[in-house]
Amino acid sequence: MFSQTPSPTISGTGEVGQTLTAFTGSWDAGTAFAFQWLRSGTAIPGATSSQYRIQSLDIGSEISVRLTSKKFVWIVEQESNTIDIGQNEFVTRSQPTISGEATVGSSLTASSGIWDSGATFSFQWLRDGLGISGATSSKYTLQEIDDAKLVSVRLTVEKLAYLTVTVDSESVRASKRTFSNTSQPSITGEARVGSLLSASTGHWDSGVTFSYQWLRDSVEIPGATRSSYQPQMEDLGRQIAVRLKGEKLTFNSVTKTSNLITISPTLPTGSKSSIADGERTLATGSLATCAVLKSGQVYCAGDTTAGGNVPVSVGRSTEISLRDSTACAIQLDKEVKCWGQALEILKVPANLGKTIQIASGSKHACAISELNVSRCWGSNLQRQSTVPADLGKVSKVSLGAFHSCAITFSGFVRCWGLDDYGQSDVPPKLGRVSNISAGYKHTCALSSIGLVSCWGRNDYGQSEVPQDLGKVSGLSAGYNHNCVITETSMVRCWGSDSFDQSTVPADIGKVEQIAAGGIHSCAVAFLGRLVCWGANNVGQSTQSSKLPVVAALTPTKMKVERVQGNSVFLKIEQEQQSTDDLVIWRVVDTGSKKTVCQIGIAQGCWVNGLVNGKTYSFSVTGSNDAGKTKTVTSASWLYCPANPSIAASPASSLVLNGSSVKISGSVSNLCFDPKLVSFRYKETGKAWSSWTSHAISKYKKFSVTKKLTGNTTVQFQVKDGKNTIHQTKQLPIKVRIRYALPLSFSWKSVKNAQGFNQGGDITIKFTGDKEFNGTCTVLSETDYAFNFALTPVGSESRFTEFRVRNGYGSGKVRMRWNGKATVGALCKDPKFTDILDFRYATFKANF
């Protein structure tokens, strides 16, 4: 037996890479010992010596040793104390920091700070403390969603056998950028109904987009969201303004409201004249009057943007309809053509087919096909364009502002759409009718025996039929008034009379046709004489040639007044004189000799379909019944809706000190043919250079080569033949100056204890560019071959990174090789994260 059996003990530090030693204590002489190291009570294969080197596999476990003592036939097994194996903790550590401007669209850069060598870093950007999906690099570009949010970065630091550390940076509050230049919008144009008001934005930063909202007495006007606005009747005496909103990506939007203008409370009296003699059909709208002559030619007078300007594409027609600001005509081929302001109506269905009757509303239209089937299109917010499925065949349609009515083949009335005043609610006792006419928000019908019934809105008495009216043969409902032709062929009107639209001239005599418009009325007297009364602010109340009138005698001057899209408004100044006739003036393109528009007594007309970069000149001839004529021609004018745009970029952003940089670019949106661009540059800390010229190729491309030595900004500009600068483009160029980067090595080798392989440690020391601060990764020739040449190799190397500051640093690599080894370093400069900077040198050792 043993005289004493002391328990074994372990000494050493419980960290990966450290060596633990087992002590047996004092035993009887001649005792033999055997060791078995245990990991949390389980034998570790091969660990049977008195020492044990802790491995990464041991982290988190308890290490002990089992001692077996043997002498002769006596055997004793004992286990030592245990040592907990924990992870190492970093000695050198930092809180991450954020650099960069905290504005939306700008980039923030996270810096890890200084940690123990060999540590690896990962980043997670946070928005108000929550992780941002995909934002896991050291850089993050602030998005629109980050505006007004707190942004920070979470740094996770890891190293083999070390406790992982997570540290958050201080937060920065992101914000959108603010415009440098903003302006209050202004309004130009006459403050009267029928005139066109235009909003001017003033001077803002480049690249800003604008949206508009017109206001009436500080309340938004529905649908008035363009840069121009035409005051309506409801604007009389009211205050009008425009609210402008400027927007640009990554910038705070800015809203500005213009000064107030008051629309004149009265409509000015304009000149009165006849359209022509021999009208076939007649139609009136809010601010225009149209007629189809017996020849089929269409003539209109009044506001040129509200149906008063007949497009040249409108040929001979059989019927015309005009409601509010949009007109539609049925051509001789039974196809429909529409013009005016309501874009919803202008989009005539391509498959509409042959049409025998047309009616237009405020923003919708309906037609009757050759098969007497009704088809509607345009706005359908009040279901005014949804024809009832059981309507069947119809003989006539008539449209109000937001409702529609039809006469069925059986002679009864059906209405649909808006019914806020009962305008679509047909009276049950109405019976069969011969005619139907829908007003703004009221409806009137003529029975088969000649009696009138009206229903709907009645604030002006428009739905109260005069008791002494008697039988009538013709009926027309206007905006808020009605006119009829009595059985004696005389005119009778009732309802609103604010502009004398219901006050029939005493000397009109008998009439054949009647049309009630917005705030005026017209009738065709016998022998084709056209007579109108009521408002005439834009010439909509045309008069017969048999009545004394004041008409434009001859034009005196014509000029381009404004441009919208690919259209231009030609303003024509006129000489005024008393005469009997109004002649339709045709405006001619002097280049193509084609008529581009025609006018009555309006102050001008719109010419559409202009070609970018083409020079135009227009002429117009006016005459009167006395045979006096005069032709005026506008000055030549270049249609160029957009400024030219310059795009340029450098061939490379990484150059050697004093090397040449080639900057290539192109010019687009040209309305002229420039030969040169001008170029200048400014290096950091220096003044701008003088302008130099560089040729533009026939493909509108150019290039500039310049030696630069530092961070530089360049500018380009292009001029037309009149030396007018059209645009300046600024292009910042990053230039990284590179110097010689020597790498030096010291090394030593030791023989590998396992036999045939050679091995040892190589220490690399870096000296070079003092501006360089970053990290270098040690590479071996075999690794280089394996990763880039894809050649399998059998040697092994363990790599490490070392940090370089102010051009100095060192790192160590442990390698095994067989014969010759080549090592080097790959360095990345965080100061220029868009540049991958290879700094590679080699060292060879032969064995």
Side-chain angles (χ1 to χ4, degrees), residues 479-500:
Y479 193 80
N480 284 318
H481 74 294
N482 309 305
C483 292
V484 297
I485 301 176
T486 68
E487 59 182 351
T488 59
S489 298
M490 302 301 290
V491 177
R492 180 83 178 270
C493 300
W494 71 93
S496 176
D497 197 35
S498 54
F499 297 97
D500 294 333

Side-chain angles (χ1 to χ4, degrees), residues 287-557:
L287 298 169
T289 301
C290 292
V292 179
L293 304 187
K294 292 179 180 179
S295 63
Q297 195 168 7
V298 177
Y299 282 130
C300 294
D303 191 327
T304 58
T305 64
N309 184 29
V310 184
V312 294
S313 61
V314 176
R316 297 187 182 276
S317 304
T318 60
E319 183 177 330
I320 191 167
S321 175
L322 177 61
R323 166 72 68 182
D324 288 354
S325 61
T326 307
C328 291
I330 300 177
Q331 311 282 274
L332 289 179
D333 59 3
K334 298 185 179 180
E335 297 293 327
V336 173
K337 290 285 183 69
C338 298
W339 65 95
Q341 289 184 351
L343 300 179
E344 297 86 348
I345 298 178
L346 301 185
K347 299 176 181 178
V348 179
N351 60 348
L352 186 62
K354 304 296 184 180
T355 300
I356 60 174
Q357 198 237 318
I358 185 70
S360 55
S362 290
K363 292 185 178 181
H364 75 297
C366 294
I368 299 178
S369 71
E370 289 182 310
L371 300 176
N372 291 100
V373 176
S374 181
R375 171 88 177 274
C376 301
W377 69 93
S379 176
N380 198 34
L381 295 178
Q382 307 295 335
R383 301 191 64 79
Q384 64 267 45
S385 295
T386 302
V387 180
D390 60 345
L391 182 62
K393 293 186 176 184
V394 298
S395 59
K396 183 177 181 178
V397 289
S398 181
L399 310 186
F402 311 106
H403 74 292
S404 308
C405 293
I407 301 177
T408 66
F409 256 31
S410 58
F412 292 99
V413 175
R414 287 285 298 277
C415 296
W416 60 94
L418 185 64
D419 194 37
D420 54 342
Y421 286 92
Q423 62 267 41
S424 296
D425 189 9
V426 181
K429 298 182 180 181
L430 181 62
R432 288 182 171 87
V433 301
S434 61
N435 196 1
I436 186 77
S437 184
Y440 175 59
K441 289 190 176 183
H442 73 288
T443 309
C444 293
L446 182 62
S447 72
S448 56
I449 60 173
L451 298 179
V452 175
S453 298
C454 297
W455 61 93
R457 189 170 179 174
N458 195 40
D459 48 347
Y460 292 96
Q462 62 266 45
S463 293
E464 294 180 9
V465 180
Q467 294 182 357
D468 61 342
L469 183 61
K471 294 184 178 181
V472 302
S473 60
L475 167 69
S476 178
Y479 193 80
N480 284 318
H481 74 294
N482 309 305
C483 292
V484 297
I485 301 176
T486 68
E487 59 182 351
T488 59
S489 298
M490 302 301 290
V491 177
R492 180 83 178 270
C493 300
W494 71 93
S496 176
D497 197 35
S498 54
F499 297 97
D500 294 333
Q501 64 266 42
S502 295
T503 301
V504 182
D507 59 350
I508 189 174
K510 295 184 176 183
V511 299
E512 295 177 331
Q513 292 186 52
I514 190 72
I519 47 178
H520 74 294
S521 305
C522 293
V524 178
F526 286 107
L527 301 179
R529 186 166 57 97
L530 178 66
V531 181
C532 297
W533 58 96
N536 193 39
N537 56 304
V538 289
Q540 69 269 41
S541 288
T542 55
Q543 293 285 352
S544 168
S545 61
K546 296 183 178 180
L547 298 177
V549 296
V550 176
L553 174 66
T554 55
T556 58
K557 185 178 180 182

Side-chain angles (χ1 to χ4, degrees), residues 43 47 49 68 130 176-177 315 319 372 384 450 707 791 824 827 832:
S49 70
T68 302
L130 300 177
K176 288 187 177 181
R177 287 176 280 186
E319 183 177 330
N372 291 100
Q384 64 267 45
K707 286 187 176 181
T791 301
C827 302
F832 293 87

Side-chain angles (χ1 to χ4, degrees), residues 15 59 102 199 255 329 347 387 422 428 431 459 492 519 525 557 560 614 665 736 751 760 771 779 791 808-809:
E15 295 178 354
I59 295 174
T255 300
K347 299 176 181 178
V387 180
D459 48 347
R492 180 83 178 270
I519 47 178
K557 185 178 180 182
V560 174
K614 183 177 178 180
R736 174 71 169 120
K751 186 174 182 180
E771 290 187 7
L779 303 174
T791 301
Y808 295 95

Side-chain angles (χ1 to χ4, degrees), residues 123-136 140 146 150 152-154:
F123 301 89
Q124 174 62 62
W125 290 88
L126 310 174
R127 179 189 302 119
D128 284 345
L130 300 177
I132 302 173
S133 177
T136 56
Y140 174 65
D146 296 320
L150 289 174
S152 59
V153 68
R154 177 167 293 156

Side-chain angles (χ1 to χ4, degrees), residues 748-828:
K748 66 179 180 177
S749 64
V750 296
K751 186 174 182 180
N752 192 301
Q754 295 185 7
F756 67 92
N757 283 332
Q758 299 290 335
D761 295 336
I762 290 182
T763 300
I764 297 177
K765 292 184 178 180
F766 178 96
T767 58
D769 181 1
K770 289 188 177 181
E771 290 187 7
F772 176 72
N773 290 282
T775 58
C776 293
T777 302
V778 178
L779 303 174
S780 75
E781 181 182 22
T782 54
D783 179 68
Y784 185 90
F786 179 80
N787 286 308
F788 296 96
L790 299 178
T791 301
V793 295
S795 61
E796 176 187 354
S797 57
R798 294 184 180 178
F799 306 105
T800 185
E801 282 188 347
F802 61 92
R803 184 176 297 279
V804 178
R805 291 191 178 278
N806 299 321
Y808 295 95
S810 64
K812 181 181 291 186
V813 61
R814 172 163 294 175
M815 300 182 61
R816 290 187 306 186
W817 54 80
N818 192 1
K820 179 175 68 176
T822 300
V823 295
L826 169 65
C827 302
K828 294 175 67 175

